[in-house]
Amino acid sequence: CLRKGSIRKVMEKKKTYLYIYVCMAALLFVGAAISLSVGSAEIGIIGSIKLALSGIPGIGQFMDISAYSTMQRYIILQVRLPRVLLAALVGAGLSAAGGVFQGIFQNPLADPHILGVSSGAALGATIAILFGVQVSVFGIGTIGVCAFIGAILTIMLVYLIGGMKKGAKTIGILLTGTAISTLFSAVMSLLMSLNHDKIEQVYLWTMGSFSSAVWVKVCYVAICEMICLCICIVLSKDLNLMAMGEETAQSLGIETARIRRILILVVSVMVAACVSVSGVIGFVGLVIPHIVRFLLGDDYRRILPGAILGGGFFLMICDTLARTVTAPGELPVGVLTAIVGAPYLILLIKKKLA
């Protein structure tokens, strides 16, 4: 009887988690539909969905879009849809990255930018903007390429200094990341002070935006995230054990140093891909994993899928507000995420200190 009762409880929990996932996926779909329909050109939700589906091979032929003009089709398929998808992808990547880093470092305040990846990306983008570097890779423009290179070089430098030694502890990696982040921020400020005419352009990039979203960027981020997230999900069971403490994980046969190294490198590449197309967007990877953890518990096999759905929805809605609140102008999306995330961070700190 006890065994049957235990199995029943497990099944009930699984049904509850599945229900939460379905609700989150439904919110993501509804949010995408609303985001597609909002803008200076008035296209209803139903019309926006029809136009978006018309671009999918095998489905588009069943969509009657004869009532919509060529301009309306262009607005949905080439302007709004890439932007909505890119915002959702970046939100999903940053949120999942924050959850993984919180598990690796056993720190509830860890976020995707904790190792200085964002500072490296910002410095790379600043150099591209100020010095007029001209380079393009697979359709990704100069700023995005330089930002990605800067982010990757930063994580390599962090590991070279603080994490390559056998048996290196997470504290060494964290301190090295903080030091390099501070250094790069100072260099970026120096470059900006010597180039006053381009300060605004650099500042706007560092606050985050999806105004330059195109299909090439969507595909690029989607491929990077798919590979990186699959690796993270495969290693999520090991991450559960690492979250219990390094000594405990080692006693259970987990090679903590190797798993930690793989996860940090994989997640950093994913964050670099996100930051290179959107700029620096804070608090997504801090706020969403905590909300998901509250809903789904501490098992990273459940947290990561939830963080992907929740982060995508959150950043997509923030971007929609950013481009509509002050229309025809546009707010940096990082401003809105900070308005939501900063009070949450204060409450979290207050709770930890209580």
Short mmCIF file of all heavy atoms in Angstrom, two decimals, residues 129-154:
data_model
loop_
_atom_site.label_atom_id
_atom_site.label_comp_id
_atom_site.label_asym_id
_atom_site.label_seq_id
_atom_site.Cartn_x
_atom_site.Cartn_y
_atom_site.Cartn_z
N ILE A 129 32.53 49.70 -33.13
CA ILE A 129 31.81 50.96 -33.36
C ILE A 129 32.77 52.15 -33.47
O ILE A 129 32.66 52.98 -34.37
CB ILE A 129 30.80 51.21 -32.21
CG1 ILE A 129 29.69 50.15 -32.26
CG2 ILE A 129 30.20 52.61 -32.31
CD1 ILE A 129 28.78 50.18 -31.05
N LEU A 130 33.74 52.21 -32.57
CA LEU A 130 34.62 53.38 -32.51
C LEU A 130 35.67 53.40 -33.61
O LEU A 130 36.03 54.47 -34.11
CB LEU A 130 35.31 53.44 -31.14
CG LEU A 130 34.39 53.58 -29.92
CD1 LEU A 130 35.22 53.70 -28.64
CD2 LEU A 130 33.48 54.80 -30.06
N PHE A 131 36.14 52.23 -34.00
CA PHE A 131 37.23 52.18 -34.98
C PHE A 131 36.78 51.76 -36.38
O PHE A 131 37.61 51.58 -37.27
CB PHE A 131 38.34 51.26 -34.48
CG PHE A 131 38.99 51.72 -33.22
CD1 PHE A 131 38.64 51.17 -31.99
CD2 PHE A 131 39.93 52.74 -33.22
CE1 PHE A 131 39.23 51.61 -30.81
CE2 PHE A 131 40.52 53.19 -32.05
CZ PHE A 131 40.17 52.62 -30.84
N GLY A 132 35.47 51.59 -36.54
CA GLY A 132 34.95 51.29 -37.87
C GLY A 132 35.45 49.99 -38.46
O GLY A 132 35.70 49.91 -39.67
N VAL A 133 35.59 48.96 -37.62
CA VAL A 133 36.04 47.65 -38.11
C VAL A 133 35.00 47.10 -39.09
O VAL A 133 33.80 47.15 -38.84
CB VAL A 133 36.23 46.67 -36.93
CG1 VAL A 133 36.66 45.31 -37.45
CG2 VAL A 133 37.24 47.24 -35.95
N GLN A 134 35.44 46.58 -40.20
CA GLN A 134 34.55 46.03 -41.22
C GLN A 134 34.78 44.54 -41.38
O GLN A 134 35.81 44.10 -41.86
CB GLN A 134 34.78 46.74 -42.57
CG GLN A 134 34.45 48.23 -42.56
CD GLN A 134 32.98 48.50 -42.30
OE1 GLN A 134 32.12 47.75 -42.75
NE2 GLN A 134 32.69 49.56 -41.57
N VAL A 135 33.82 43.75 -40.93
CA VAL A 135 33.91 42.30 -41.05
C VAL A 135 32.50 41.72 -41.00
O VAL A 135 31.61 42.28 -40.36
CB VAL A 135 34.79 41.69 -39.92
CG1 VAL A 135 34.15 41.95 -38.57
CG2 VAL A 135 35.02 40.21 -40.14
N SER A 136 32.30 40.64 -41.70
CA SER A 136 30.99 39.99 -41.70
C SER A 136 31.18 38.48 -41.84
O SER A 136 32.00 38.03 -42.65
CB SER A 136 30.13 40.51 -42.85
OG SER A 136 28.87 39.87 -42.88
N VAL A 137 30.45 37.72 -41.04
CA VAL A 137 30.55 36.26 -41.07
C VAL A 137 29.14 35.68 -41.15
O VAL A 137 28.31 35.91 -40.27
CB VAL A 137 31.27 35.72 -39.82
CG1 VAL A 137 31.32 34.20 -39.86
CG2 VAL A 137 32.68 36.30 -39.72
N PHE A 138 28.86 34.95 -42.22
CA PHE A 138 27.56 34.31 -42.42
C PHE A 138 26.40 35.30 -42.28
O PHE A 138 25.35 34.98 -41.72
CB PHE A 138 27.36 33.15 -41.44
CG PHE A 138 28.39 32.07 -41.57
CD1 PHE A 138 29.21 31.75 -40.50
CD2 PHE A 138 28.57 31.40 -42.76
CE1 PHE A 138 30.17 30.76 -40.61
CE2 PHE A 138 29.52 30.39 -42.88
CZ PHE A 138 30.34 30.08 -41.81
N GLY A 139 26.61 36.51 -42.74
CA GLY A 139 25.56 37.51 -42.69
C GLY A 139 25.46 38.28 -41.40
O GLY A 139 24.65 39.20 -41.28
N ILE A 140 26.25 37.92 -40.39
CA ILE A 140 26.27 38.64 -39.12
C ILE A 140 27.19 39.84 -39.27
O ILE A 140 28.33 39.70 -39.70
CB ILE A 140 26.75 37.75 -37.95
CG1 ILE A 140 25.92 36.47 -37.90
CG2 ILE A 140 26.68 38.51 -36.64
CD1 ILE A 140 24.46 36.69 -37.62
N GLY A 141 26.71 41.01 -38.91
CA GLY A 141 27.45 42.25 -39.12
C GLY A 141 28.66 42.42 -38.22
O GLY A 141 28.95 41.60 -37.34
N THR A 142 29.34 43.54 -38.45
CA THR A 142 30.60 43.83 -37.77
C THR A 142 30.47 43.82 -36.25
O THR A 142 31.25 43.16 -35.54
CB THR A 142 31.12 45.21 -38.20
OG1 THR A 142 31.34 45.20 -39.61
CG2 THR A 142 32.40 45.57 -37.48
N ILE A 143 29.47 44.52 -35.72
CA ILE A 143 29.33 44.64 -34.27
C ILE A 143 29.07 43.27 -33.64
O ILE A 143 29.67 42.91 -32.62
CB ILE A 143 28.20 45.63 -33.92
CG1 ILE A 143 28.56 47.03 -34.42
CG2 ILE A 143 27.96 45.65 -32.41
CD1 ILE A 143 27.46 48.06 -34.20
N GLY A 144 28.19 42.48 -34.25
CA GLY A 144 27.88 41.16 -33.71
C GLY A 144 29.08 40.23 -33.71
O GLY A 144 29.32 39.52 -32.74
N VAL A 145 29.84 40.26 -34.80
CA VAL A 145 31.03 39.39 -34.89
C VAL A 145 32.06 39.78 -33.85
O VAL A 145 32.62 38.93 -33.14
CB VAL A 145 31.64 39.47 -36.31
CG1 VAL A 145 32.98 38.73 -36.35
CG2 VAL A 145 30.68 38.87 -37.33
N CYS A 146 32.33 41.07 -33.73
CA CYS A 146 33.33 41.54 -32.76
C CYS A 146 32.87 41.29 -31.33
O CYS A 146 33.69 40.97 -30.46
CB CYS A 146 33.61 43.03 -32.97
SG CYS A 146 34.50 43.40 -34.50
N ALA A 147 31.57 41.42 -31.08
CA ALA A 147 31.05 41.15 -29.75
C ALA A 147 31.22 39.67 -29.40
O ALA A 147 31.63 39.33 -28.27
CB ALA A 147 29.58 41.54 -29.67
N PHE A 148 30.94 38.80 -30.35
CA PHE A 148 31.09 37.36 -30.10
C PHE A 148 32.56 37.01 -29.86
O PHE A 148 32.88 36.26 -28.93
CB PHE A 148 30.56 36.57 -31.30
CG PHE A 148 30.61 35.08 -31.12
CD1 PHE A 148 29.62 34.43 -30.40
CD2 PHE A 148 31.64 34.33 -31.65
CE1 PHE A 148 29.66 33.05 -30.21
CE2 PHE A 148 31.69 32.95 -31.47
CZ PHE A 148 30.69 32.32 -30.75
N ILE A 149 33.44 37.56 -30.68
CA ILE A 149 34.88 37.29 -30.50
C ILE A 149 35.35 37.80 -29.13
O ILE A 149 36.10 37.12 -28.42
CB ILE A 149 35.70 37.96 -31.63
CG1 ILE A 149 35.38 37.27 -32.97
CG2 ILE A 149 37.19 37.89 -31.33
CD1 ILE A 149 36.01 37.97 -34.16
N GLY A 150 34.90 38.99 -28.75
CA GLY A 150 35.28 39.55 -27.45
C GLY A 150 34.80 38.68 -26.30
O GLY A 150 35.54 38.47 -25.33
N ALA A 151 33.58 38.15 -26.42
CA ALA A 151 33.04 37.29 -25.36
C ALA A 151 33.82 35.98 -25.25
O ALA A 151 34.14 35.53 -24.14
CB ALA A 151 31.57 37.02 -25.62
N ILE A 152 34.13 35.37 -26.39
CA ILE A 152 34.86 34.10 -26.38
C ILE A 152 36.28 34.29 -25.85
O ILE A 152 36.78 33.48 -25.04
CB ILE A 152 34.89 33.49 -27.80
CG1 ILE A 152 33.48 33.12 -28.24
CG2 ILE A 152 35.81 32.27 -27.83
CD1 ILE A 152 32.79 32.11 -27.36
N LEU A 153 36.95 35.36 -26.27
CA LEU A 153 38.30 35.63 -25.78
C LEU A 153 38.29 35.87 -24.27
O LEU A 153 39.24 35.49 -23.56
CB LEU A 153 38.90 36.84 -26.50
CG LEU A 153 39.25 36.63 -27.98
CD1 LEU A 153 39.78 37.93 -28.59
CD2 LEU A 153 40.29 35.52 -28.13
N THR A 154 37.24 36.47 -23.78
CA THR A 154 37.13 36.74 -22.34
C THR A 154 37.06 35.44 -21.54
O THR A 154 37.77 35.27 -20.55
CB THR A 154 35.90 37.60 -22.04
OG1 THR A 154 36.01 38.84 -22.72
CG2 THR A 154 35.79 37.86 -20.54
#
